[in-house]
Amino acid sequence: MRKSLLALVAAGLLTTATLTACDDGGDTDAAGGNAPATTNGGSEEVTGEGGIGVILPDTKSSQRWKSDDNRYLEAAFKKAGVKYSIVNAEGDKEQFKRLAETMLDKGFKVLVIVNLDSVSGKAVIDNAHSRGVPVIDYDRLTLNGAADYYVSFDNEAVGQLQAKELLNCLNQKKVSNAVVAELNGSPTDNNATLFKNGYDTVLSAKYDSAQLIKGPDQWVPDWDNDEGREMFALMLKQYPNIGGVLAANDGLGNSAIEVLRAKKLNGKVPVTGQDATTQGLQNILAGDQCMTVYKDVKQEAEAAAGLAINLFNGVKPGLKDKLKDPESGLYIPFLRLLPKAITIKNVKDVVDAGFVDVDTLCNAKYKEACKRANVIK
């Protein structure tokens, strides 16, 4: 299965490589002089006409939406010599729809979107389809949206990795019958539901056999880390014997760690994460976080860009995998990618992949921890 999936990605990138045979590798837009727009905020206007439009969701919920995806997507589009615009809705659903409307009015040929919720996402997809413009759901599936393609990681596998590593950390600490708190992602994000499906399949069996005790279980609206911190503080007040925290991503994991640190429980209560952010990895190096999940954003961005470039050039790639939309029942062509669990044992893998800057990760505060983890010498 893994070989076939990677072959699909390679196929998309092969098309990209073919399209760039005449590109000299410079920054000049070979598709007609458009100055591409890449923005970390939602206030910057869409520029250019007739290219590929990308709308990212926010810059608050995860580091990736602020600094990672846009640079990899931009590099792929520049290499292919296609016009593009990458903007960010900054968590504003109406802004999300306005950005899409502007792109469609300016004649963009393909949209790549990361929805803020399925209602606004579907509105964008319906608008695009009414104008004959294909849409790629990137990272998050828009429920009942009928996107033309979906590019993401196996999100239930992400949740399974989180639960399995949490169990490993509890075993290493020789903790039995631990009360486990679940700090889930946004209830409007289908990925958060898939993550939870994944970790609950593993944890439920432990709850049923009384090997673990199910503690508080709450969703955090919009992945808001500040709200997550407040929610976990209440969890810990109500359940002072919490022994493990299944936090859906690194931001929420750090929110829990800050509360635990105030109670001098950091490092004693295992906490999970996801996204392999610099902060999450530093928490792992410090012993405060049990694990994170590395999703190769570069691989995901290049796969989505490859599909978008194909569609821009009138090619409709066939994908082997399909994912059933649980609301509409439609099967969406799915380019599935595989996640990887990161613990103290393999933090170096994320550095070696170039996903994080080693100097930033191993700054003065974490230098000795990086040496102990063999990240640096």
Side-chain angles (χ1 to χ4, degrees):
M1 176 64 77
R2 182 175 176 82
K3 289 182 178 178
S4 64
L5 294 175
L6 292 177
L8 285 172
V9 179
L13 297 180
L14 179 60
T15 304
T16 303
T18 302
L19 291 169
T20 61
C22 297
D23 185 12
D24 64 4
D27 290 337
T28 302
D29 188 341
N34 173 52
T38 302
T39 174
N40 290 334
S43 59
E44 193 166 327
E45 294 184 0
V46 176
T47 63
E49 295 182 358
I52 297 171
V54 180
I55 309 176
L56 300 177
D58 61 73
T59 55
K60 188 175 180 181
S61 66
S62 178
Q63 168 188 301
R64 64 175 296 186
W65 306 129
K66 183 176 182 179
S67 60
D68 297 330
D69 293 78
N70 50 9
R71 64 187 168 112
Y72 294 128
L73 288 164
E74 183 175 28
F77 295 141
K78 280 187 174 181
K79 185 177 180 182
V82 298
K83 293 184 287 187
Y84 66 94
S85 183
I86 304 173
V87 293
N88 195 302
E90 289 293 1
D92 186 331
K93 299 178 183 66
E94 292 305 313
Q95 173 74 344
F96 187 90
K97 291 188 286 187
R98 285 194 295 270
L99 289 167
E101 179 79 15
T102 300
M103 287 175 168
L104 294 169
D105 286 346
K106 290 189 173 185
F108 278 68
K109 306 298 184 185
V110 183
L111 293 187
V112 180
I113 67 170
V114 188
N115 72 58
L116 283 163
D117 68 0
S118 287
V119 174
S120 55
K122 175 176 168 51
V124 167
I125 294 171
D126 288 347
N127 189 4
H129 284 173
S130 72
R131 309 188 196 204
V133 174
V135 180
I136 298 170
D137 267 341
Y138 181 53
D139 198 69
R140 300 173 181 171
L141 181 67
T142 302
L143 298 180
N144 200 33
D148 298 88
Y149 292 94
Y150 175 45
V151 179
S152 188
F153 287 83
D154 186 329
N155 292 309
E156 289 197 3
V158 169
Q160 291 166 4
L161 290 175
Q162 290 174 313
K164 289 175 182 177
E165 292 301 333
L166 179 61
L167 294 177
N168 286 339
C169 290
L170 289 169
N171 289 336
Q172 289 167 14
K173 292 180 180 294
K174 298 182 180 179
V175 177
S176 58
N177 301 114
V179 175
V180 174
E182 296 185 21
L183 202 57
N184 311 305
S186 176
T188 60
D189 181 355
N190 186 58
N191 278 7
T193 300
L194 295 175
F195 302 146
K196 182 169 173 58
N197 289 346
Y199 49 74
D200 278 352
T201 59
V202 177
L203 296 179
S204 293
K206 299 298 181 181
Y207 299 145
D208 292 344
S209 64
Q211 292 175 273
L212 293 176
I213 299 170
K214 184 172 177 59
D217 182 351
Q218 290 186 265
W219 299 84
V220 181
D222 300 321
W223 294 92
D224 189 292
N225 296 330
D226 293 333
E227 191 160 351
R229 186 183 306 106
E230 293 178 8
M231 292 170 73
F232 184 72
L234 288 175
M235 288 182 178
L236 193 60
K237 184 176 181 179
Q238 294 169 351
Y239 294 82
N241 59 337
I242 286 174
V245 182
L246 196 303
N249 74 353
D250 287 347
L252 295 178
N254 189 67
S255 295
I257 288 167
E258 288 179 351
V259 176
L260 291 169
R261 188 176 292 126
K263 302 289 186 180
K264 300 188 180 201
L265 292 172
N266 57 305
K268 298 177 182 178
V269 178
V271 179
T272 68
Q274 179 194 176
D275 289 335
T277 63
T278 298
Q279 182 181 65
L281 294 171
Q282 288 174 337
N283 282 335
I284 290 174
L285 290 168
D288 292 341
Q289 186 167 319
C290 168
M291 61 84 69
T292 187
V293 179
Y294 172 46
K295 299 183 297 186
D296 188 343
V297 173
K298 184 174 185 290
Q299 184 185 30
E300 186 180 18
E302 288 178 344
L307 283 176
I309 293 163
N310 277 329
L311 292 169
F312 179 80
N313 286 279
V315 178
K316 295 184 177 181
L319 299 182
K320 180 180 178 181
D321 287 331
K322 293 182 183 295
L323 183 72
K324 185 177 181 180
D325 181 331
E327 288 199 4
S328 68
L330 293 175
Y331 285 85
I332 309 299
F334 179 25
L335 207 164
R336 185 195 310 264
L337 304 168
L338 301 179
K340 180 177 183 177
I342 299 296
T343 68
I344 191 65
K345 295 179 181 178
N346 62 346
V347 170
K348 190 174 186 296
D349 290 355
V350 185
V351 175
D352 289 345
F355 186 68
V356 295
D357 177 67
V358 67
D359 293 330
T360 304
L361 178 66
C362 300
N363 61 25
K365 183 177 179 180
Y366 296 95
K367 186 173 182 180
E368 290 305 314
C370 281
K371 288 181 179 179
R372 290 194 297 272
N374 296 315
V375 177
I376 59 175
K377 295 182 179 179

